[in-house]
Amino acid sequence: MVKTQIMENFMSKWFTIDPGVDLGWAEFKKNRLVNWGTIYAQGATLEDKIFDILDEVRFLEYADKVFIEWPSFQNTAAKNTGSIIKLACLIGAILGRYGNGVLIPVSTWKGSLPKEVTQLRAEKFFKVQGFKSHAADAVALGQYIIQKGLYK
């Protein structure tokens, strides 16, 4: 029985990721929000920042599944800065290292809603306040996953 309980502790965790050099994450156990936070990447180059994030998200090794926000390719100023390519590199590095990922397009789960709206909805849904910035998006993505029954 003890071995079964230990395995259940590891195997029923899933995570959501709002990717970026300020990476938001949220941890869930079944349909319950357990923890959340933001990782602020350190390093002089993109490669340094990606490796720093990969070290910081080692907890993903124990994830049953990881849901990652996939950026939309809009005709915006961000497109011209190469930030979409940088996000794609980071997402690829996370999936390559930890696997078991599912990409959820931002247009699917969030649409054009401002972060403040999705944050308020997530705070009401989980009955917790004070999500900050990128962690708020990771938590709100988790709300979407739960409401759509995407984690089983």
Side-chain angles (χ1 to χ4, degrees):
M1 170 149 147
V2 172
K3 185 177 180 182
T4 305
Q5 188 172 0
I6 291 170
M7 290 305 294
E8 182 179 310
N9 285 340
F10 284 110
M11 296 307 291
S12 59
K13 287 184 181 180
W14 56 279
F15 291 84
T16 55
I17 300 286
D18 176 33
V21 292
D22 295 341
L23 180 139
W25 61 272
E27 175 186 355
F28 300 84
K29 186 158 180 149
K30 299 187 179 175
N31 287 338
R32 186 173 52 89
L33 175 65
V34 176
N35 204 356
W36 63 89
T38 302
I39 296 168
Y40 301 96
Q42 305 296 312
T45 67
L46 175 63
E47 293 84 359
D48 291 342
K49 291 176 182 179
I50 288 175
F51 284 119
D52 184 54
I53 288 171
L54 290 175
D55 285 343
E56 293 291 330
V57 297
R58 281 178 285 188
F59 51 79
L60 295 178
E61 292 176 11
Y62 303 105
D64 194 33
K65 182 114 14 207
V66 180
F67 296 91
I68 302 175
E69 179 184 89
W70 183 247
S72 63
F73 297 92
Q74 300 173 4
N75 192 12
T76 65
K79 176 181 169 186
N80 298 327
T81 66
S83 61
I84 299 295
I85 293 171
K86 293 172 188 173
L87 282 175
C89 289
L90 174 60
I91 292 167
I94 292 170
L95 291 174
R97 165 94 43 106
Y98 300 106
N100 226 5
V102 176
L103 299 176
I104 306 291
V106 69
S107 59
T108 300
W109 83 266
K110 186 177 179 180
S112 60
L113 290 174
K115 185 184 299 270
E116 295 78 19
V117 172
T118 57
Q119 179 177 343
L120 288 172
R121 288 180 180 176
E123 288 175 346
K124 184 177 179 183
F125 183 81
F126 291 110
K127 297 177 177 63
V128 177
Q129 293 185 335
F131 304 125
K132 301 219 188 299
S133 190
H134 299 286
D137 273 351
V139 170
L141 175 57
Q143 176 188 353
Y144 172 84
I145 301 302
I146 291 168
Q147 289 177 323
K148 294 294 182 182
L150 298 178
Y151 178 79
K152 304 205 187 245

